[in-house]
Amino acid sequence: FEKLLTKKLKYTRTHHRNGARWTHDVAAMQGWSDVFGTTDKAVVEALAKEEDLTMQWEGKNNDTFVSEYVSDAFQLHPQTKQPVWFNHAQVFHPTTFPADLVAAFRRTKQWRLLWHAARVTAFSMIWYGLLRQKMALHVTFGDGSAISPREMHIIRSAIHRNMVFNRWQQGDLVMIDNFSTSHGRQPTYDKGRKVVVAWSDPVEKSDLLSSIDDANAVASEEMSIFEERWRRRWITSNDNVALIATIAGAADARGNDENKTKIKETEKEAV
């Protein structure tokens, strides 16, 4: 938590002119010509400038689009003014796809998911581990240091422990507050379904908080409670899913039985 709070997160977007064919990285399947709908680099630069997106061209032929920006891991909820987890750290980490496949297997018992997880894990270990390649959408701490597999495991564990699954039926409509509740989908082999996504009432992040450090000035009481709960490893039903408040992984890592008991007791109270 402290590292996320102080270092923030750095996102790096990398696109070659043409997308990759043989890859597990979905974002890498699109080249910058697909992303921006043009093969003219000058048009890409103009679009990036219009969106206030810092970019540069890299690569052997100066033909690879690269953009980096640093953002807070937490934002203030526009209505409650409480700090909430608001980022894509777990999405853009190379260990997440294999881990999600394993989690899906444990839930569904579909062996092909486990087989797929084994293949993706082997690929990721070689491509991202040994060869030091980056995902097309890549995340690190704000200073450029890597988020370790162990650190990402703690983040994912908190998220997985708070997941609610919706089994879609024809005509279903699900509405969520995307500040207090994250959205996503799980690996599936379902075919023939169509899920349409739309956003309403968009709120610019700049309207909320320029830095999480400013939260004390905007919501000092909420922030102090939030930090105290984290340090004491407390969790209540009112905590945001992504405040990494389900610190079972951290407690396990320390082997602290007292903390494990506290977590279990408080979870019962929350239920």
Side-chain angles (χ1 to χ4, degrees):
F1 167 77
E2 295 294 342
K3 292 176 71 173
L4 288 168
L5 190 65
T6 58
K7 292 188 175 183
K8 305 184 181 183
L9 292 168
K10 176 187 285 187
Y11 300 98
T12 303
R13 175 185 287 269
T14 305
H15 289 289
H16 301 283
R17 175 180 285 272
N18 299 311
R21 294 185 59 188
W22 306 105
T23 180
H24 297 293
D25 184 354
V26 176
M29 296 178 183
Q30 288 190 313
W32 56 260
S33 57
D34 300 312
V35 174
F36 292 97
T38 180
T39 57
D40 189 333
K41 293 168 68 174
V43 174
V44 172
E45 293 170 2
L47 289 171
K49 184 177 181 180
E50 182 179 331
E51 295 294 329
D52 196 23
L53 187 66
T54 302
M55 61 147 295
Q56 58 188 17
W57 298 105
E58 297 182 0
K60 183 173 61 175
N61 298 317
N62 204 35
D63 202 27
T64 300
F65 173 91
V66 179
S67 176
E68 291 184 344
Y69 70 95
V70 176
S71 180
D72 292 297
F74 306 93
Q75 293 291 323
L76 290 184
H77 191 284
Q79 293 183 345
T80 68
K81 304 304 179 184
Q82 290 183 326
V84 296
W85 173 261
F86 198 84
N87 63 75
H88 286 82
Q90 78 281 3
V91 180
F92 302 150
H93 197 274
T95 63
T96 291
F97 187 30
D100 281 349
L101 286 168
V102 172
F105 163 73
R106 289 175 175 171
R107 191 178 70 257
T108 65
K109 307 305 180 185
Q110 294 186 35
W111 287 97
R112 53 184 172 177
L113 287 171
L114 186 60
W115 167 241
H116 193 27
R119 290 190 301 163
V120 174
T121 299
F123 171 84
S124 298
M125 290 178 66
I126 296 172
W127 190 248
Y128 303 118
L130 297 178
L131 300 180
R132 302 294 182 183
Q133 298 297 313
K134 293 181 179 179
M135 296 178 66
L137 297 174
H138 184 72
V139 64
T140 63
F141 287 113
D143 60 0
S145 58
I147 302 174
S148 72
R150 177 58 183 167
E151 291 167 327
M152 186 52 61
H153 172 71
I154 294 174
I155 293 173
R156 274 196 307 269
S157 295
I159 293 172
H160 286 179
R161 285 168 56 87
N162 288 275
M163 279 185 176
V164 176
F165 298 95
N166 175 62
R167 294 190 176 276
W168 292 100
Q169 299 183 36
Q170 187 172 355
D172 278 355
L173 174 65
V174 176
M175 301 180 67
I176 64 171
D177 171 6
N178 215 174
F179 280 95
S180 61
T181 306
S182 299
H183 72 277
R185 59 166 295 177
Q186 290 293 288
T188 178
Y189 286 96
D190 291 348
K191 296 181 180 179
R193 71 176 187 173
K194 183 177 182 180
V195 179
V196 180
V197 180
W199 282 260
S200 63
D201 299 326
V203 178
E204 294 290 337
K205 290 176 66 177
S206 58
D207 294 339
L208 305 177
L209 183 68
S210 60
S211 168
I212 195 64
D213 295 331
D214 296 337
N216 286 316
V218 181
S220 58
E221 182 178 355
E222 288 86 349
M223 191 63 183
S224 61
I225 293 174
F226 165 63
E227 291 178 340
E228 184 64 19
R229 282 178 177 168
W230 166 259
R231 291 190 176 93
R232 296 189 181 185
R233 305 304 192 256
W234 286 357
I235 174 173
T236 72
S237 58
N238 293 324
D239 286 329
N240 181 265
V241 55
L243 289 181
I244 321 179
T246 49
I247 356 55
D252 289 339
R254 291 193 309 274
N256 191 323
D257 293 331
E258 181 180 350
N259 271 349
K260 294 178 187 177
T261 303
K262 171 63 74 175
I263 291 171
K264 291 179 180 178
E265 290 175 352
T266 319
E267 283 177 337
K268 291 179 180 178
E269 294 175 3
V271 173

